[in-house]
Amino acid sequence: FDKAYGFSKKAYGIAKEIGNVKLQMETSDILAQSSVALGLYKEAYNYHVEFKEMADSLQNDSNIKEITNLQNQYDFENEKRAIEQEQQKKDAINAEKARRQKTVRNAFVIGFVLVLLLAIAILRSFFQKRKANNKLVEQNAIISKQKEEREILLKEIHHRVKNNLQIISSLLNLQTKNIEDKSMLSAMEDGQNRVKAMALIHQRLYQNDDISQIDFKEYTAQLLNQIAGLYPGLSKVERKVSIGNVNLDIDTAIPIGLILSELITNGYKYAFENDKGLIEISLEQKGHDYILKVRDNGPGLPKDFDLSKTPSIGLRLVRRLSQQLYGNAVYEYIDGSVFIVTFKDTLGRKNIA
């Protein structure tokens, strides 16, 4: 690691001197890893942040090029349309001149004059409608472009938030390596899981075509698998997700994601023995009201357990977040532990407020 750190330091200086951003990004990543191994945590953090910023910068350059190409294509279409309109005006003027000459030559034919006037009226109406339609098409194109640019911007914001949360998770992970106290280590790991649950929501938002909401069934399955991966000794525990076609907005999804993270983590910590068991998650929707159930077939909590008086930070967080969503959280024992969380989505909360 000493050699890796020394060679990477030289490579980093050369890359910075010649302005090679990609090489500078790669050497920053290597320096961050070798600094952690050597115990240089402050340097590791600085190099890791620099690596993430340069990675985001390269991604931003790609997005800017894409937007520029779209703008050039839009300008080309507008110019082409303007040329066509100008040509149509010239054609109309030439046609009008020809008709006037013909009218002068054939003024004695009254019937022909009446037909010609009627034709001119119809043609004028046609051009007026066509002009109105062209204007409407241009306005729709502008609105569509603005919507697309806004969606690209919001996706970039969610991407940056996800990256920042991942940096926090990485810092927590670095911090746990120096902690020997089991209770402190457990608390740090719980905090890291909460950060990952929020990062997963932002990741799904910027990956979706619709950035205003997420498919909660897919999110729940991914979160469950993510937490289960932290407990390789319980790989045979059966995982079941019973959720229909439910989409939640970000203001509702983040607190519910944190609630799920706490309840799933508690199940894996305390409910299962000998790599056997079942954890089941279900969600029912009735208008703007929802009922979330997290069940396991473990031994359950003590008979005198009261969720409103529990000293557990995680379960207190579950109770407070459910109240924040105008709902409640209760515990029951039915062949295992069952946590029932009721809540309302954003529109339901606004209707009450």
Side-chain angles (χ1 to χ4, degrees), residues 18-36:
I18 65 176
N20 190 325
V21 178
K22 184 177 180 182
L23 181 58
Q24 188 177 346
M25 178 186 71
E26 293 172 349
T27 52
S28 295
D29 188 27
I30 297 173
L31 281 169
Q33 297 178 42
S34 57
S35 295
V36 171

Side-chain angles (χ1 to χ4, degrees), residues 287-290 325-326 344-353:
H288 299 297
D289 296 314
Y290 299 78
L325 297 176
Y326 288 27
K344 295 181 181 294
D345 59 22
T346 299
L347 187 56
R349 299 196 298 272
K350 287 182 179 179
N351 291 338
I352 294 178

Side-chain angles (χ1 to χ4, degrees), residues 183 186-187 189-191 193-194 223-224 226-228 230-231 234 237 257-273 276-281 294-302 305-307 310-319 321 329-331 336-341:
S183 61
S186 177
E189 290 174 347
D190 289 344
N193 287 340
R194 291 165 189 149
L223 179 63
L224 181 56
Q226 178 176 287
I227 295 176
L230 301 176
Y231 300 89
L234 300 174
V237 170
L258 289 172
I259 289 173
L260 268 179
S261 177
E262 295 298 331
L263 297 179
I264 294 171
T265 302
N266 280 348
Y268 271 91
K269 277 185 175 181
Y270 308 114
F272 308 122
E273 295 181 358
K276 294 181 180 179
L278 166 69
I279 184 165
E280 181 178 3
I281 302 171
V294 179
R295 174 182 173 273
D296 64 63
N297 60 352
L301 296 169
F305 175 79
D306 187 350
L307 186 60
T310 177
S312 168
I313 295 177
L315 293 180
R316 287 165 61 189
L317 180 64
V318 169
R319 185 166 174 266
L321 288 175
V330 296
Y331 166 79
S337 295
V338 181
F339 286 91
I340 304 172
V341 179

Side-chain angles (χ1 to χ4, degrees), residues 169-310:
S169 178
S170 298
L171 291 174
L172 290 173
N173 187 46
L174 289 173
Q175 194 69 30
T176 57
K177 293 182 179 180
N178 297 324
I179 296 176
E180 296 180 356
D181 183 77
K182 292 184 177 180
S183 61
M184 181 64 71
L185 182 62
S186 177
M188 293 291 288
E189 290 174 347
D190 289 344
Q192 191 175 7
N193 287 340
R194 291 165 189 149
V195 172
K196 287 181 178 179
M198 290 187 290
L200 182 59
I201 289 176
H202 288 283
Q203 177 180 334
R204 295 207 58 86
L205 282 172
Y206 82 74
Q207 289 176 344
N208 285 352
D209 292 333
D210 183 1
I211 60 175
S212 63
Q213 54 189 3
I214 64 170
D215 185 324
F216 198 68
K217 180 178 181 180
E218 293 182 1
Y219 169 77
T220 300
Q222 192 170 351
L223 179 63
L224 181 56
N225 292 335
Q226 178 176 287
I227 295 176
L230 301 176
Y231 300 89
L234 300 174
S235 60
K236 294 182 180 179
V237 170
E238 183 181 356
R239 304 189 289 271
K240 187 175 181 181
V241 177
S242 302
I243 299 176
N245 185 22
V246 177
N247 294 312
L248 295 179
D249 59 275
I250 186 172
D251 291 334
T252 306
I254 286 181
I256 290 299
L258 289 172
I259 289 173
L260 268 179
S261 177
E262 295 298 331
L263 297 179
I264 294 171
T265 302
N266 280 348
Y268 271 91
K269 277 185 175 181
Y270 308 114
F272 308 122
E273 295 181 358
N274 301 324
D275 199 13
K276 294 181 180 179
L278 166 69
I279 184 165
E280 181 178 3
I281 302 171
S282 65
L283 181 66
E284 298 177 15
Q285 179 182 5
K286 296 180 181 178
H288 299 297
D289 296 314
Y290 299 78
I291 301 176
L292 174 68
K293 294 182 181 180
V294 179
R295 174 182 173 273
D296 64 63
N297 60 352
L301 296 169
K303 293 184 179 180
D304 59 347
F305 175 79
D306 187 350
L307 186 60
S308 64
K309 298 179 181 179
T310 177

Side-chain angles (χ1 to χ4, degrees), residues 85 141 246 333:
Q85 290 177 349
V246 177
Y333 182 84

Side-chain angles (χ1 to χ4, degrees), residues 32 69 110 115 143 308 324 327 332:
N69 289 335
I110 298 175
V115 172
I143 293 173
S308 64
Q324 177 183 319
E332 295 180 359

